[in-house]
Structures are given as C-alpha cells and as structure tokens.
C-alpha cells in the first residue's frame, strides 16, 4: 500500500493514545496517532517520524503519524496497514489457491474476524495482527495485554470444530527481524492461547514487510517460535 503527501517530522510527546505533539517544518502541530498501542519504545522525544498530511475541514488534526525510526530501522505503526497488506498478499500470491470469495470483517460467534476466505476446498477465517514491537531483532506481540486477542484465538479454535479452517497472520511492520514469538512477559495468556491454537491446527504465520516513508508491502515469511 502507498501513502500520499508524506512529510518528515520530529516527535515531541504523546498526551494520550490518540494524538501526538510533533515538530514539522519549524512549527509545532498536533498529529493523530493511528495506533492505540503503547509504542513506548518507538515514540520517544526527538524520534524521526513520517506523517501524512491531509487537507480537510472535517478533521481535528492535519496529520496522521505513519512511521517512526528506531535507530536505523523504519517501523510502520499504522494499525490499518496490516489488513491492507494481508489483503494484497492473498491477491498477489498463492497463499490461498483458487479463491472464490473474500469478505472482510466477518462475524463468528462473539468475534469479528478480519477476513473470511472461500476456496474450492475450504472455508477459512483469518485474524490479522500488526506487530510493531521489536527487541534485539525479535518481533513480539502484543505490546500490551489483550484479552480481545485471547478471545479471537479461542474462537478461531472453536471454528475448526465447526468445519472451518483458521489462520492467524502476524504482519510485522518492519524488515530484518530474526523470528517472531508471543510476548509472554507482557501477556502470558496470549502466548498460552497461541500454543493451544497450534495444537488445534490453527495455521500461524508471520511475515515481515518492506517499509519506506510512503509505502509498506509484505516481504517474506518469518519463523514463528512458540
């Protein structure tokens, strides 16, 4: 996916989950943060960021925060990007062969999964998770406890007993990580649920991404360690 009207800026602080104060072109501005996760290791004072400028009278802010440099690594933190990246992936590759129907945001029991995919041989639910946390080259999820994420995993497991296939796709919003693993130090229950999902034949994949200041695209599969 591509972004228009991208500009470089400097992060100042984050008063709440939804906005950040930034410095751009010599002036201070308020910017919308397109990620409600903590991102504490990324959004630090004076970090170089890229923002998308909008010309709209209906918006409260003129800018969206899209990506941030952590050292030499550019990380996309747009929480809307992973679903778009995954959708493009399944359209451009043979991850699911002979697709006859795709529907985003499909309800099953008490969950709304990101994709429902039908092929000649299977009906599949897919839950997509965006990964922005990296430590020593390892990609981790989640960066904060997520009971909603545990519920999604448990109901993906339930869907298998109803005859569906089930997938969890971790879209790592950066490149050059060594492997992906659940962040058990932050939320052990999520890691335990993911291990249980593997035992019940849920397909668990992770892919890193090529990230530039104005684009993000799936790059390659990354080892998943549980």
């Amino acid at each position: 996916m591509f972004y228009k009207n991208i500009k470089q800026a400097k992060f100042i602080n984050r008063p709440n989950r939804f906005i950040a104060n930034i410095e751009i072109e010599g002036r201070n501005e308020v910017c919308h943060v397109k990620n409600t996760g903590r991102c504490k290791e990324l959004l630090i004072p004076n970090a170089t960021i890229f923002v998308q400028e909008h010309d709209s009278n209906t918006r409260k802010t003129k800018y969206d925060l899209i990506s941030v440099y952590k050292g030499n690594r550019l990380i996309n933190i747009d929480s809307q990007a992973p679903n778009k990246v995954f959708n493009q992936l399944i359209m451009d590759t043979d991850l699911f062969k002979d697709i006859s129907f795709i529907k985003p945001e499909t309800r099953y029991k008490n969950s709304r999964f990101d994709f429902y995919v039908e092929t000649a041989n299977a009906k599949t639910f897919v839950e997509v998770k965006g990964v922005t946390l990296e430590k020593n080259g390892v990609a981790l999820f989640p960066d904060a406890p997520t009971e909603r994420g545990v519920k999604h995993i448990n109901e993906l497991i339930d869907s298998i007993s109803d005859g569906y296939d089930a997938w969890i796709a971790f879209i790592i919003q950066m490149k050059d990580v060594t492997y992906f693993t659940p962040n058990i130090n932050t939320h052990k229950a999520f890691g335990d649920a993911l291990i249980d999902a593997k035992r019940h034949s849920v397909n668990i994949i992770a892919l890193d991404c090529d990230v530039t200041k104005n684009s993000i695209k799936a790059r390659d599969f990354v080892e998943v360690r549980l």
Side-chain angles (χ1 to χ4, degrees):
M1 62 175 292
F2 291 91
Y3 300 93
K4 296 180 180 179
N5 303 321
I6 292 294
K7 295 190 174 183
Q8 184 173 321
K10 183 182 295 184
F11 177 82
I12 299 174
N13 59 34
R14 187 181 186 182
N16 60 50
R17 291 188 304 162
F18 305 103
I19 64 170
N21 293 312
I22 67 171
E23 180 185 325
I24 182 169
E25 297 176 340
R27 65 184 186 278
N28 291 348
E29 294 278 356
V30 176
C31 176
H32 173 57
V33 180
K34 299 185 72 176
N35 190 315
T36 58
R38 291 178 177 172
C39 300
K40 288 183 176 180
E41 78 289 351
L42 299 176
L43 299 180
I44 59 177
N46 296 318
T48 298
I49 59 175
F50 290 100
V51 298
Q52 184 174 31
E53 184 178 24
H54 298 275
D55 185 14
S56 172
N57 294 327
T58 61
R59 287 176 55 95
K60 294 182 179 179
T61 63
K62 187 176 181 180
Y63 301 97
D64 284 334
L65 203 167
I66 302 299
S67 58
V68 55
Y69 268 106
K70 180 185 178 185
N72 294 323
R73 190 193 304 270
L74 185 60
I75 300 175
N76 180 294
I77 64 168
D78 177 3
S79 62
Q80 296 176 358
N83 281 23
K84 295 177 181 178
V85 168
F86 185 80
N87 185 71
Q88 193 64 52
L89 175 74
I90 60 178
M91 297 302 295
D92 292 346
T93 69
D94 290 330
L95 188 63
F96 298 108
K97 295 183 179 180
D98 302 319
I99 295 174
S100 58
F101 181 72
I102 301 175
K103 183 181 178 183
E105 299 292 330
T106 302
R107 183 171 292 281
Y108 171 81
K109 291 189 175 181
N110 296 312
S111 291
R112 188 183 295 273
F113 295 127
D114 291 312
F115 291 94
Y116 170 72
V117 182
E118 284 189 6
T119 67
N121 300 313
K123 297 179 178 181
T124 304
F125 288 115
V126 183
E127 183 64 13
V128 178
K129 302 294 186 187
V131 181
T132 61
L133 178 61
E134 172 270 334
K135 292 183 179 180
N136 299 317
V138 177
L140 299 155
F141 184 92
D143 75 344
T146 171
E147 295 302 332
R148 182 170 175 266
V150 173
K151 183 190 76 169
H152 281 155
I153 293 174
N154 289 333
E155 294 202 340
L156 280 174
I157 294 170
D158 289 346
S159 75
I160 291 177
S161 63
D162 286 338
Y164 295 95
D165 283 354
W167 290 62
I168 304 173
F170 292 96
I171 302 298
I172 302 166
Q173 294 169 253
M174 66 195 87
K175 68 178 181 179
D176 295 333
V177 297
T178 53
Y179 62 91
F180 166 83
T181 193
N183 189 3
I184 59 173
N185 289 331
T186 294
H187 196 187
K188 185 176 183 297
F190 182 88
D192 291 342
L194 206 59
I195 292 170
D196 193 37
K198 184 177 181 180
R199 291 195 190 107
H200 285 85
S201 300
V202 175
N203 296 282
I204 302 170
I205 62 171
L207 297 106
D208 69 353
C209 292
D210 278 319
V211 177
T212 72
K213 65 180 183 180
N214 57 11
S215 70
I216 178 171
K217 182 180 181 180
R219 179 171 177 261
D220 204 356
F221 288 95
V222 171
E223 179 189 359
V224 176
R225 295 187 187 179
L226 301 179

